[in-house]
Amino acid sequence: QLQLVESGGGLVQPGGSLRLSCAASGFTLDYYAIGWFRQAPGKEREGLSYIRSSDGNTNYADSVKGRFTMSRDNAKNTVYLQMNSLKPEDTAVYYCAADNSPPRGRKPLWLRPSEYNYWGQGTQVTVSS
């Protein structure tokens, strides 16, 4: 049974920080690509960052580059998203996702939601004064 559970969301002031966690069970996350996404009301789900299972490298969307940092703790089977300098426009439901079946014949595009097969339930982040 593959499961992802996000936690750590809440209400923070602009300029504040928050760390989200994504705990994996039923599988070893080191064998999966893991991505962080968010979705605000009325908007499409947006890819924020990912970590590749092949080499552990991370990548970030331009909207969060320099403010958000993704990391992985294999011993805890958990990935994190450290969010700094938060802005009101960061308000959204944040999701983690996993996939272990990269496409054949093309390079995977890990900031696209359609690349992932497994999703957590989401955690709400609200940035407001």
Side-chain angles (χ1 to χ4, degrees):
Q1 182 90 314
L2 306 181
Q3 188 175 22
L4 298 168
V5 179
E6 302 96 334
S7 62
L11 175 64
V12 297
Q13 294 184 347
S17 298
L18 204 62
R19 188 175 76 163
L20 305 182
S21 299
C22 175
S25 62
F27 67 101
T28 301
L29 63 82
D30 190 43
Y31 298 127
Y32 288 71
I34 309 294
W36 281 102
F37 297 80
R38 68 186 180 191
Q39 189 164 23
K43 293 189 175 182
E44 296 181 344
R45 190 162 297 189
E46 176 189 11
L48 304 176
S49 65
Y50 64 85
I51 185 166
R52 298 189 298 191
S53 61
S54 57
D55 56 14
N57 286 349
T58 57
N59 213 321
Y60 302 89
D62 289 341
S63 61
V64 303
K65 192 174 298 181
R67 298 190 298 123
F68 291 10
T69 302
M70 187 177 184
S71 61
R72 177 177 66 193
D73 187 335
N74 289 336
K76 297 181 179 179
N77 214 30
T78 300
V79 295
Y80 304 94
L81 185 66
Q82 178 67 46
M83 306 186 295
N84 299 325
S85 302
L86 284 164
K87 307 173 182 178
E89 51 263 44
D90 293 319
T91 296
V93 177
Y94 283 69
Y95 301 88
C96 63
D99 188 84
N100 68 342
S101 300
R104 293 185 178 272
R106 66 171 176 87
K107 294 178 63 176
L109 303 173
W110 293 120
L111 289 177
R112 296 181 61 184
S114 60
E115 297 282 41
Y116 295 84
N117 292 326
Y118 305 99
W119 292 83
Q121 84 290 346
T123 184
Q124 176 71 47
V125 172
T126 302
V127 184
S128 176
S129 59

